[in-house]
């Protein structure tokens, strides 16, 4: 009996032990299944749990599951608190007055500014609350960033907004709420484009914000904005469409697009003259500080004189293209009086060339100092016109300083026909004589019209060019327009054919030089008579006309006396 009871006891003990093991395994399976559902355990963790099951160490895996569950619960609790806070803020925004909300918002912004290592500066599109006064700095930043995106595209590039306009094909700009880095004086800067929709409106309020290092922002801000403004002005000048204006009525200008192709590289000029003109124009364009320091208005006068066809108008176009200036072509015959001339001057914009061509033929200005008796008679007769005094005030008077960076250019075929008061420095500072083409100009024009320097000249062509230069040295001259016409007629021929015809033309002029000089003298006399007829006496030329009339009367008197004697 004792042995049987002992066996039963052993069996019950082993059975209970086996049941405990089975219950432990079931509990471990339930916990592992929960962990897989909640946290999607990795295969490695599952294998470790299986190893723990096989080794019977289920306590470790159970504790790790409890830790993960507690971490998940704490995360969910934090998220719920955040949502509660956001809901509370929404309720407060609807309940609290606007002034208090604005105060809280400014306090939060001040707290952020105090904690951040950067300083922020806003550049709105418009000044003030009403969108009527545009901010010029916003336009400059917009242009500067557009140019930087084209020249130095970042990697990776930001999102861009593409637009199209009729003059140019495409225009790219930084999209709203995107940023672009810039560098200045070894520091990294950040521009951000903001676009906020107005409340209860379809309009948007755009602005740029600049981020600078807080420690260096006082020393960086002013130099950087000066650099940005100068770069934006240069970009605007180089990219804008230039205009040519003319006085369509007595005191107003009308304009068209200016697209003259002449440049200093296409003009047939002496190298020394070309170098002088380029250096003088560049010095004038960059002379803002110099003219302010010496106390002179920022303007300069040019006189271009020479025979017709010598390239005076082409030189004006090349000057305007080099400086990127607008051109104001002033026709003095359309200006009724000095007041209208002053009004036209005030309407001219900075960075412009004011051109008066053929100053000796536009009006009767030379010798305008008439006697008091003749002036009084003109005033009684109600005569009103532009006078020499008005033109002098236009070029060098008090009103001439209205507007900066202006050039006044006069042209004439005969420098002696211009009154000496107009020729002095301060009114016409630079006198440029344009005459017949020299040897260097001839070679330049032949190379340009004949296909460029790439085409090598053969031996016969070189001999003809030397002969042409010999004719020029002997005093035979052809203007740039005349040489260009000869070369233009032979543009479809070989270059040696054009050079041969050019040499023939020079030789023909050498033989007929005296006859042409006589024709020029006759034309000059005829022009003088026409000028005096339009001028109705006046000044020095009137004395010449009186002498002609006196001689004519004396001749008729002599003839009548001889007729009486013969009778």
């Amino acid at each position: 009996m004792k042995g049987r009871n002992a066996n039963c006891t052993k069996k019950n003990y082993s059975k209970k032990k086996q049941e405990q093991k089975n219950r432990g395994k079931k509990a471990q399976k339930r916990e592992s299944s929960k962990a897989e559902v909640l946290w999607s355990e990795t295969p490695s963790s599952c294998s470790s749990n299986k190893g723990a099951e096989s080794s019977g160490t289920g306590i470790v895996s159970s504790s790790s599951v409890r830790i993960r569950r507690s971490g998940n619960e704490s995360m969910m609790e934090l998220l719920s608190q955040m949502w509660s806070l956001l809901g509370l803020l929404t309720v407060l925004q609807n309940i609290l007055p606007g002034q208090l909300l604005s105060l809280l918002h400014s306090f939060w912004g001040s707290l952020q500014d105090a904690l951040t290592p950067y300083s922020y500066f806003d550049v709105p599109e418009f000044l003030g609350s009403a969108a009527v006064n545009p901010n010029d700095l916003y336009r400059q930043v917009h242009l500067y960033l557009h140019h930087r995106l084209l020249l130095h595209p970042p990697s990776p590039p930001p999102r861009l907004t593409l637009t199209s306009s009729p003059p140019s094909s495409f225009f790219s700009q930084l999209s709203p709420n995107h940023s672009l880095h810039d560098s200045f004086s070894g520091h990294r800067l950040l521009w951000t484009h903001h676009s906020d929709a107005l409340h209860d409106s379809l309009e948007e309020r755009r602005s740029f914000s600049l981020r600078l290092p807080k420690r260096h922002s006082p020393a960086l801000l002013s130099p950087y904005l000066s650099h940005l403004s100068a770069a934006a002005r240069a970009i605007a000048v180089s990219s804008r469409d230039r205009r040519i204006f003319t006085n369509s009525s007595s005191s107003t200008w009308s304009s068209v697009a200016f697209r003259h192709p002449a440049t200093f590289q296409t003009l047939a000029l002496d190298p020394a003259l070309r170098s002088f003109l380029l250096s003088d124009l560049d010095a004038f364009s960059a002379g803002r500080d110099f003219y302010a320091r010496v106390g002179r208005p920022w303007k300069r006068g040019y006189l271009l004189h020479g025979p017709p066809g010598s390239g005076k108008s082409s030189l004006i176009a090349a000057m305007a293209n080099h400086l990127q200036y607008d051109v104001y072509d002033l026709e003095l015959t359309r200006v009724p009086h000095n007041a209208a001339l002053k009004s036209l001057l005030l309407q001219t914009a900075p960075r412009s060339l004011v051109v008066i061509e053929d100053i000796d033929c536009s009006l009767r200005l030379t010798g305008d100092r008439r006697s008091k008796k003749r002036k009084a008679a003109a005033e009684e007769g109600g005569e009103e016109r532009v006078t020499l005094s008005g033109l002098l005030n236009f070029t060098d008077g008090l009103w001439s300083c209205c507007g900066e960076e202006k050039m006044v250019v006069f042209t004439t075929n005969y420098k002696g026909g211009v009154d000496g008061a107009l020729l002095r420095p301060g009114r016409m500072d630079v006198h440029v004589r344009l005459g017949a083409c020299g040897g260097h100009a001839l070679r330049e024009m032949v190379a340009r019209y004949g296909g460029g320097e790439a085409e090598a000249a053969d031996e016969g062509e070189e001999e003809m060019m030397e002969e042409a230069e010999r004719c020029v040295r002997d005093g035979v001259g052809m203007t740039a327009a005349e040489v260009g016409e000869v070369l233009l007629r032979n543009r479809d021929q070989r270059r040696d054919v054009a050079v041969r015809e050019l040499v023939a033309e020079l030789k023909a002029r050498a033989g007929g030089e005296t006859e042409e000089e006589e024709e020029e003298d006759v034309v000059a006399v005829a022009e003088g008579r026409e000028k005096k007829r339009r001028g109705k006496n006046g000044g020095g030329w009137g004395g010449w006309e009186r002498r002609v009339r006196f001689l004519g009367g004396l001749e008729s008197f002599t003839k009548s006396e001889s007729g009486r004697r013969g009778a």
Side-chain angles (χ1 to χ4, degrees):
M1 288 291 293
K2 290 180 179 179
R4 189 180 302 166
N5 291 332
N7 291 333
C8 290
T9 303
K10 289 180 180 178
K11 288 181 180 179
N12 292 332
Y13 177 76
S14 60
K15 188 175 181 179
K16 289 179 180 178
K17 193 174 182 179
Q18 186 66 32
E19 289 177 356
Q20 289 177 357
K21 287 183 178 180
N22 292 335
R23 284 196 296 271
K25 289 181 180 179
K26 289 180 180 179
Q28 289 179 4
K29 287 181 179 180
R30 284 196 298 271
E31 294 294 338
S32 62
S33 62
K34 289 180 181 179
E36 288 176 0
V37 171
L38 293 175
W39 300 284
S40 300
E41 282 190 336
T42 59
S44 60
S45 63
C46 294
S47 63
S48 63
N49 288 336
K50 290 179 181 178
E53 291 175 7
S54 61
S55 60
T57 58
I59 300 173
V60 178
S61 65
S62 299
S63 62
S64 63
V65 168
R66 291 193 194 97
I67 293 172
R68 291 177 182 174
R69 289 184 64 186
S70 62
N72 184 48
E73 290 175 356
S74 61
M75 181 64 70
M76 293 297 295
E77 185 177 352
L78 179 62
L79 290 175
S80 64
Q81 291 177 357
M82 290 179 63
W83 283 112
S84 301
L85 180 61
L86 291 176
L88 179 62
L89 291 176
T90 304
V91 173
L92 291 176
Q93 188 175 4
N94 294 328
I95 295 177
L96 295 178
Q99 294 179 351
L100 181 59
L101 288 175
S102 177
L103 182 62
L104 291 175
H105 182 73
S106 62
F107 174 75
W108 175 249
S110 301
L111 183 62
Q112 282 183 323
D113 293 339
L115 297 177
T116 183
Y118 299 102
S119 296
Y120 293 88
F121 303 91
D122 294 329
V123 183
E125 184 179 9
F126 296 96
L127 301 176
S129 58
V132 294
N133 189 11
N135 186 2
D136 191 55
L137 183 57
Y138 178 90
R139 182 190 60 82
Q140 292 177 352
V141 172
H142 192 280
L143 192 60
Y144 175 80
L145 294 182
H146 164 69
H147 191 67
R148 182 168 179 79
L149 283 170
L150 293 179
L151 295 183
H152 309 286
S155 180
R159 177 170 292 185
L160 303 177
T161 301
L162 299 178
T163 57
S164 177
S165 57
S168 58
S169 55
F170 293 102
F171 186 85
S172 61
Q173 59 182 348
L174 194 65
S175 296
N177 303 320
H178 284 76
S179 302
L180 180 66
H181 286 278
D182 194 12
S183 58
F184 182 75
S185 297
H187 297 279
R188 191 172 176 83
L189 296 76
L190 182 69
W191 283 103
T192 304
H193 189 201
H194 300 283
S195 180
D196 301 323
L198 298 178
H199 185 64
D200 296 335
S201 176
L202 298 177
E203 297 181 357
E204 292 182 341
R205 180 163 294 175
R206 292 179 288 270
S207 65
F208 284 103
S209 65
L210 173 62
R211 191 188 75 180
L212 294 175
K214 184 178 292 185
R215 291 175 53 191
H216 306 283
S217 60
L220 276 178
L221 182 62
S222 181
Y224 177 68
L225 291 181
S226 300
H227 157 74
L228 185 146
S229 298
R233 282 195 298 268
I235 295 168
V237 168
S238 61
S239 60
R240 73 183 179 93
D241 290 334
R242 291 180 296 112
R243 314 286 293 179
I244 180 169
F245 297 80
T246 185
N247 49 324
S248 56
S249 63
S250 61
S251 59
T252 58
W253 297 97
S254 60
S255 68
V256 295
F258 181 71
R259 298 189 179 92
H260 200 289
T263 64
F264 277 95
Q265 287 70 36
T266 61
L267 291 181
L269 292 176
D270 182 75
L273 178 60
R274 180 187 288 113
S275 177
F276 165 75
L277 290 175
L278 288 175
S279 61
D280 188 75
L281 294 174
D282 292 337
F284 172 77
S285 179
R288 178 192 298 270
D289 296 335
F290 170 78
Y291 280 90
R293 186 173 68 251
V294 300
R296 294 185 58 173
W298 192 8
K299 66 179 186 62
R300 194 155 178 80
Y302 271 74
L303 173 65
L304 310 182
H305 59 98
S310 56
K312 298 184 291 295
S313 299
S314 298
L315 179 56
I316 293 173
M319 293 166 63
N321 288 331
H322 180 74
L323 295 172
Q324 299 292 318
Y325 284 5
D326 291 329
V327 178
Y328 288 84
D329 185 15
L330 179 60
E331 180 59 53
L332 287 177
T333 57
R334 294 182 181 176
V335 184
H337 43 73
N338 292 335
L341 183 64
K342 188 185 301 181
S343 175
L344 289 171
L345 172 65
L346 295 178
Q347 296 176 45
T348 57
R351 299 183 59 84
S352 59
L353 268 76
V354 181
V355 180
I356 303 177
E357 294 192 284
D358 297 325
I359 184 64
D360 56 330
C361 301
S362 296
L363 288 174
R364 184 168 48 86
L365 297 173
T366 303
D368 197 30
R369 303 172 181 86
R370 298 175 294 179
S371 64
K372 294 181 179 181
K373 182 178 179 180
R374 302 182 70 84
K375 287 184 179 180
E379 291 176 358
E380 291 176 1
E383 180 183 352
E384 277 191 310
R385 63 181 181 87
V386 174
T387 62
L388 179 62
S389 175
L391 188 60
L392 294 179
N393 290 328
F394 176 86
T395 57
D396 195 33
L398 291 176
W399 290 92
S400 66
C401 62
C402 298
E404 293 184 327
E405 201 171 354
K406 291 182 181 179
M407 301 189 73
V408 181
V409 184
F410 295 88
T411 69
T412 178
N413 296 334
Y414 177 55
K415 184 179 177 181
V418 181
D419 194 283
L422 277 170
L423 298 178
R424 72 164 178 82
R427 290 167 181 158
M428 296 185 186
D429 305 291
V430 181
H431 296 195
V432 180
R433 169 81 165 93
L434 297 174
C437 290
H440 185 274
L442 281 177
R443 287 186 177 272
E444 273 194 359
M445 295 189 68
V446 168
R448 190 177 302 120
Y449 279 82
E453 297 290 346
E455 183 181 347
D458 55 17
E459 184 176 353
E461 180 183 336
E462 183 62 29
E463 291 179 357
M464 286 186 290
M465 284 301 305
E466 292 177 356
E467 188 173 355
E469 291 178 350
R470 196 179 306 115
C471 292
V472 171
R473 287 194 298 269
D474 292 341
V476 181
M478 291 180 66
T479 62
E482 294 168 339
V483 174
E485 177 58 30
V486 173
L487 298 176
L488 188 64
R489 290 199 302 264
N490 296 274
R491 63 183 181 274
D492 296 330
Q493 305 295 329
R494 294 196 318 271
R495 200 161 70 178
D496 59 338
V497 176
V499 175
R500 187 178 296 109
E501 184 171 345
L502 181 62
V503 172
E505 182 71 21
L506 287 170
K507 289 182 176 180
R509 286 172 178 266
E513 187 174 2
T514 304
E515 183 179 351
E516 289 183 359
E517 287 181 351
E518 291 178 356
E519 291 180 358
E520 290 179 358
D521 293 339
V522 172
V523 171
V525 171
E527 288 180 352
R529 289 178 178 174
E530 178 64 20
K531 191 189 304 181
K532 303 302 124 0
R533 184 184 63 80
R534 291 186 304 172
K536 296 180 181 179
N537 303 326
W541 285 101
W544 178 85
E545 189 176 1
R546 286 194 297 271
R547 288 195 297 271
V548 172
R549 290 176 179 175
F550 173 75
L551 292 175
L554 183 61
E555 183 180 1
S556 61
F557 176 77
T558 305
K559 288 182 179 179
S560 62
E561 287 293 323
S562 62
R564 290 175 184 175
R565 290 175 183 174

